[in-house]
Amino acid sequence: MSTLEIRDLHVSVETKEGPKPILRGVDLTIASGETHAIMGPNGSGKSTLAYSLAGHPKYQITSGTVTLDGEDLLSLSVDERARAGMFLAMQYPVEVPGVSVANFLRTAKTAIDGEAPPLRTWVKEVRGAMDALRMDSTFAERSVNEGFSGGEKKRHEILQMELLKPKFAILDETDSGLDVDALRVVSEGVNRVRSGGEVGVLLITHYTRILRYITPDFVHVFVDGRVAEEGGPELAERLENEGYDRFLPSGSISA
């Protein structure tokens, strides 16, 4: 059983005009086996939370704490956070020309576990995960994300999650750009990982459509860098019907 605790987290990003506060005091606790959906309008700080937890250098932690099983996550480097059990599926996965998917996956697994997985069992595991995600086996020999469609990139992100087996997976708008078939396949992959009860999931999304396939335990509404409201799956349904206007007195979405 693992726990990720975020306490009074404040984060700024550097702009041409100087540091701009984005997160303004976020409190959140995620335990193994739980799925937390983070919803909110554009500019509310959802992706900032994701990249801050992963250790992106663009984001400056100005105050607050984040601990993983009591260990200070913010003191760790990006690779140390990954080895501690953090995983980020990016909204816009980058291309890595010249590095095959097969080599990338095995190198990542070796780095996280501290030893290379046995080749025979590893190949079988990779093939099984690819089959479940309906990925052609030839993808293993292609360069990471190079020439991949949006759906293929997102399936590759979930493939990584299935194989690397993190303690906590942050999915930053994994549903972005997916058609209904790809969304269903990706959601099935997330549900397979969740079914073991060992992975905590932080699912960031604008829309409720992915929540028709992945039922969250908790829903948190982000507005202006803070958690404005919390609830269960019924809160997502209310947002679907009412939108975010009730959280914004002016009726405008913050930048």
Side-chain angles (χ1 to χ4, degrees):
M1 182 74 172
S2 291
T3 304
L4 180 68
E5 291 190 85
I6 303 167
R7 291 288 173 266
D8 195 27
L9 187 65
H10 292 250
V11 178
S12 294
V13 62
E14 193 63 38
T15 68
K16 293 180 180 179
E17 292 75 30
K20 177 183 178 181
I22 303 295
L23 298 186
R24 306 169 188 270
V26 173
D27 292 289
L28 195 62
T29 300
I30 308 169
S32 299
E34 294 179 350
T35 298
H36 293 246
I38 303 292
M39 304 186 69
N42 283 324
S44 58
K46 304 185 300 299
S47 291
T48 295
L49 176 64
Y51 286 96
S52 297
L53 294 176
H56 196 298
K58 175 182 176 182
Y59 301 95
Q60 180 66 41
I61 311 295
T62 54
S63 66
T65 62
V66 181
T67 58
L68 174 53
D69 294 335
E71 182 178 12
D72 180 10
L73 191 74
L74 302 181
S75 68
L76 303 180
S77 63
V78 174
D79 59 305
E80 288 171 335
R81 296 183 195 197
R83 285 195 291 271
M86 298 296 294
F87 173 85
L88 172 64
M90 295 180 286
Q91 182 179 358
Y92 303 108
V94 298
E95 296 183 1
V96 188
V99 178
S100 72
V101 168
N103 285 337
F104 173 81
L105 292 171
R106 193 160 193 261
T107 299
K109 184 67 172 176
T110 300
I112 288 174
D113 290 355
E115 60 181 1
L119 191 57
R120 180 175 296 179
T121 56
W122 174 248
V123 169
K124 183 178 180 180
E125 189 174 356
V126 171
R127 287 177 177 169
M130 291 182 72
D131 287 345
L133 286 164
R134 302 176 200 175
M135 298 178 68
D136 191 283
S137 60
T138 58
F139 274 91
E141 304 309 317
R142 293 175 60 180
S143 292
V144 173
N145 291 325
E146 190 172 34
F148 285 23
S149 68
E152 290 165 348
K153 288 180 180 180
K154 297 303 176 69
R155 292 184 200 210
H156 181 222
E157 295 283 287
I158 303 306
L159 176 66
Q160 294 172 50
M161 183 174 70
E162 289 203 58
L163 294 171
L164 299 180
K165 298 178 173 60
K167 292 180 180 178
F168 294 97
I170 306 166
L171 310 181
D172 186 19
E173 300 197 28
T174 297
D175 52 339
S176 176
L178 297 183
D179 61 30
V180 65
D181 292 325
L183 177 63
R184 186 178 295 110
V185 171
V186 164
S187 298
E188 288 170 355
V190 175
N191 286 330
R192 278 194 300 276
V193 174
R194 295 197 315 153
S195 66
E198 298 178 353
V199 180
V201 176
L202 189 62
L203 177 63
I204 296 171
T205 183
H206 282 297
Y207 309 110
T208 59
R209 65 174 193 153
I210 193 170
L211 303 183
R212 297 169 190 163
Y213 302 98
I214 303 172
T215 303
D217 300 295
F218 306 95
V219 175
H220 311 270
V221 182
F222 266 41
V223 177
D224 196 26
R226 298 182 179 92
V227 177
E229 187 170 344
E230 298 176 309
E234 72 283 350
L235 178 54
E237 295 178 9
R238 185 178 179 187
L239 291 172
E240 174 76 8
N241 295 325
E242 301 178 6
Y244 299 106
D245 282 353
R246 65 191 175 91
F247 299 104
L248 307 168
S250 65
S252 62
I253 293 177
S254 60

